[in-house]
Amino acid sequence: MLVAVASGKGGTGKTTLASSLALVAAEKGKVIFLDCDVEEPNGHIMLKPRWEKKEAVRVPVPEINQEKCTFCGRCAEICAFHALVVLPQEVLLFPTMCHGCGGCWHLCPAGAISPGWREIGLVEEGSSEGIGFVRGRLNVGEAISPPLIEAVKERCRPGELNILDAPPGTSCPVIRTVKGADFCLLVTEPTPFGLHDLELACEMVASLGVPCGVVVNRSDGDDRLIRQFCQQNNLPLLLQLPHDREVARGYARGIPAVKVRPEWKEYFAALLSFIEEGGCTGARTGGAQREGRHGQDYRLRESGRTGSR
Amino acid sequence: MKVAVCARESHINSPVDQRFGRCPYFVVVDVDSGDWEGLPNTGCHSGGGAGIQTAQLLVNAGVKAVLVDRIGPNAMEVLARAGIQVYEGISGTVSQSVEAYRQGHLKLLSQPNSPRHSRRGRS
C-alpha cells in the first residue's frame, strides 16, 4: 500500500506525521519510508537511517554532432522547453531546461542529434529501526525533479506499507509523488494560510483520483476553519495533533513526535487502521460515515471540538 | 545596423519595458536610417525559458545590439555567443533610449544584471 503525506503549505508537519506514522507502523509490520522531497529531503533527520547503498539517476539529454548539423533551427523550434538555441554556426544546449522528451533527436532532419545521459541526483537506500528508508537527493542547480522522484518510487515494495513523504505545494514534483498512491494524508495547520493551501491541495489530489483525509497539526483544539472546510467538502478530518511545546522542542533536535509523546502512538495506530481498513474507499464516497465510526478513536481533541459548539 | 529595444507597445514612441524575456514587443531600429519596425516577442508567454526563446528570436532577426533594463543569465549567454551586444540603462520611450544609445549614454553589459528566475514549480 502506498500512502502519500502531502500538504499545500510548507512547514505544516508532513515529515513530523510521516516519521511518527512509520515508527508506529513498524511495531506491527513492514514499512518503508520514501522521502520524495528530493530538493530538500529531511526525513533522515528524524529517522536517522544507516545508509546501505546509493545509485546515480540519469536523464536523457541531446548530444549534438556539430559536424553533421546544418544549423537549420528545427530542434530549437520544436523544443517546448527552450533548452536549445541555434546560432548561425553553433547549437547551444541548456541542459537543466531539458525534459528529455526526445523530440529533437527524433525530428532532426540531418540526424545530427543523438540521446546522451546526464546525472541529476542520487537515490540512497538504508534502514532505521526496522524501517526501510529511501531518499532522493537532487543535485544543486537542477531544475527538474520528477524523474528522480520516479526513481525513488521505483523502490516501493509491494505488500509492505510505503509511506511517501511529499514535497510541499501542488506543482509537478508533488503530483508525481501523489499520483498512483492508494491514499493521501493532507497535513495542514489551523490558519487562513493553512486553509488556503489545503483547498489547492484537495483539488490537486481530487484531480488525480487519489482518496484523501486531512490531518491538522498544531491544532488549537477547535480548528474551526479546517473543520468547516472538511464538512463542506465531505472530507474526513482524521487527526488533530495538539500544539505541543515538547514536541516542537523534540523536532528541533531531530526527535520524532511519538518518541517525545509515546501516548500519541495510539492515535497514529488508529489512523493507520483507518487507512488500511479501506479508509480509501470511505473517504472517496463519503467521509462523514467513516468519521462516525472511527471518530473517537483518532481524534485527539474530541472534547475541545464538541465543547465549542 | 539594427538595434532592438524592449518595449511595451509596437511603435517607436512606446514606453520601454523593464524585462527582456517577458517584454511583449521589441522595436527594431536601424540606427543609420532611422527606420523602425515592431517585432512581437513570441517568447513572452512561454512557461519557462522565456529569455532563451527571446534571445533566439533576436538572433533570427539579425539584430546587432539590444537595449535593455534587466536581463538574466541564460539570455545573456545566448546573446554573448551570438555576438549580439547588450546595453543596459534604458528609460522613457523607445526613441529616447535609441537617442541615449547614439550618444553613448548606455552601458555595455558583459554580465547578466538580473538573477535567474525561480525554477521551482512546473517542471
Side-chain angles (χ1 to χ4, degrees):
Chain A
M1 170 174 266
L2 268 68
V3 178
V5 181
S7 73
K9 186 182 173 301
T12 52
K14 285 179 296 301
T15 304
T16 297
L17 179 78
S19 58
S20 283
L21 203 59
L23 285 163
V24 170
E27 291 179 1
K28 287 191 200 151
K30 291 202 157 190
V31 56
I32 173 165
F33 183 102
L34 301 107
D35 198 338
C36 295
D37 188 1
V38 302
E39 288 173 81
E40 285 166 323
N42 63 352
H44 61 280
I45 299 172
M46 292 292 152
L47 295 176
K48 303 176 181 64
R50 264 182 303 103
W51 299 113
E52 286 144 20
K53 58 178 168 179
K54 60 181 170 184
E55 198 176 302
V57 174
R58 302 181 307 165
V59 293
V61 71
E63 274 179 6
I64 294 136
N65 182 335
Q66 303 272 358
E67 310 219 316
K68 280 195 192 170
C69 180
T70 61
F71 307 100
C72 69
R74 180 74 178 140
C75 56
E77 198 180 291
I78 59 129
C79 181
F81 308 104
H82 313 304
L84 288 159
V85 174
V86 179
L87 303 181
Q89 289 176 351
E90 187 182 15
V91 178
L92 297 183
L93 170 68
F94 290 86
T96 59
M97 310 294 288
C98 176
H99 283 55
C101 71
C104 55
W105 58 79
H106 284 110
L107 296 175
C108 173
I113 307 182
S114 54
W117 293 99
R118 194 170 69 81
E119 192 181 312
I120 58 164
L122 292 174
V123 175
E124 295 164 303
E125 293 174 74
S127 60
S128 162
E129 299 177 50
I131 301 168
F133 196 100
V134 181
R135 79 165 172 196
R137 220 154 35 111
L138 191 70
N139 289 346
V140 172
E142 287 296 336
I144 296 165
S145 60
L148 182 53
I149 292 168
E150 205 54 56
V152 171
K153 287 180 76 177
E154 278 167 16
R155 270 76 174 175
C156 281
R157 293 175 200 155
E160 297 185 19
L161 176 65
N162 295 273
I163 297 175
L164 304 165
D165 193 6
T170 51
S171 63
C172 296
V174 186
I175 289 166
R176 193 61 71 97
T177 304
V178 175
K179 202 172 182 176
D182 298 297
F183 195 80
C184 181
L185 288 166
L186 291 173
V187 190
T188 188
E189 58 180 33
T191 65
F193 290 126
L195 175 63
H196 177 269
D197 291 354
L198 175 65
E199 290 175 15
L200 298 176
C202 283
E203 262 183 70
M204 183 264 302
V205 173
S207 70
L208 292 174
V210 175
C212 70
V214 175
V215 174
V216 177
N217 189 25
R218 296 193 291 271
S219 166
D220 57 19
D222 178 29
D223 309 328
R224 185 183 305 261
L225 276 176
I226 307 297
R227 204 152 37 78
Q228 281 175 349
F229 174 75
C230 289
Q231 278 164 1
Q232 283 159 8
N233 292 278
N234 210 14
L235 286 166
L237 177 54
L238 298 175
L239 184 64
Q240 291 162 279
L241 291 170
H243 191 48
D244 184 306
R245 195 173 177 85
E246 284 312 306
V247 168
R249 208 188 291 274
Y251 174 84
R253 289 170 16 223
I255 303 168
V258 290
K259 291 207 172 173
V260 178
R261 293 268 181 238
E263 65 271 28
W264 285 15
K265 280 187 183 177
E266 60 179 296
Y267 304 115
F268 286 94
L271 181 58
L272 276 172
S273 347
F274 171 80
I275 298 168
E276 280 168 354
E277 286 167 17
C280 315
T281 47
R284 192 178 295 185
T285 53
Q289 201 184 344
R290 282 280 164 189
E291 258 185 273
R293 224 180 82 198
H294 288 274
Q296 285 167 345
D297 297 334
Y298 51 74
R299 287 271 170 85
L300 286 180
R301 289 293 183 91
E302 193 66 21
S303 57
R305 196 177 138 258
T306 47
S308 68
R309 278 181 186 158
Chain B
M1 180 175 121
K2 288 204 284 185
V3 171
V5 187
C6 305
R8 301 239 186 100
E9 294 153 26
S10 184
H11 59 85
I12 191 77
N13 291 317
S14 158
V16 298
D17 197 297
Q18 269 108 43
R19 302 159 301 174
F20 174 77
R22 302 271 179 202
C23 68
Y25 296 97
F26 286 95
V27 177
V28 179
V29 182
D30 185 323
V31 287
D32 308 310
S33 67
D35 292 347
W36 59 268
E37 59 175 347
L39 177 66
N41 180 11
T42 46
C44 84
H45 298 300
S46 77
I52 295 173
Q53 200 185 2
T54 302
Q56 174 83 69
L57 176 83
L58 295 183
V59 171
N60 296 351
V63 308
K64 295 294 174 227
V66 55
L67 316 186
V68 306
D69 181 30
R70 291 199 308 270
I71 188 166
N74 287 343
M76 195 69 200
E77 184 182 337
V78 175
L79 296 173
R81 292 291 276 272
I84 296 174
Q85 293 184 317
V86 182
Y87 288 87
E88 70 170 342
I90 57 171
S91 59
T93 66
V94 171
S95 62
Q96 287 166 348
S97 300
V98 171
E99 194 49 37
Y101 165 76
R102 278 208 182 96
Q103 293 180 7
H105 294 328
L106 302 184
K107 186 182 150 212
L108 183 62
L109 264 186
S110 58
Q111 296 290 325
N113 61 5
S114 180
R116 191 176 296 279
H117 284 272
S118 167
R119 296 263 197 70
R120 272 194 94 127
R122 285 184 66 87
S123 52

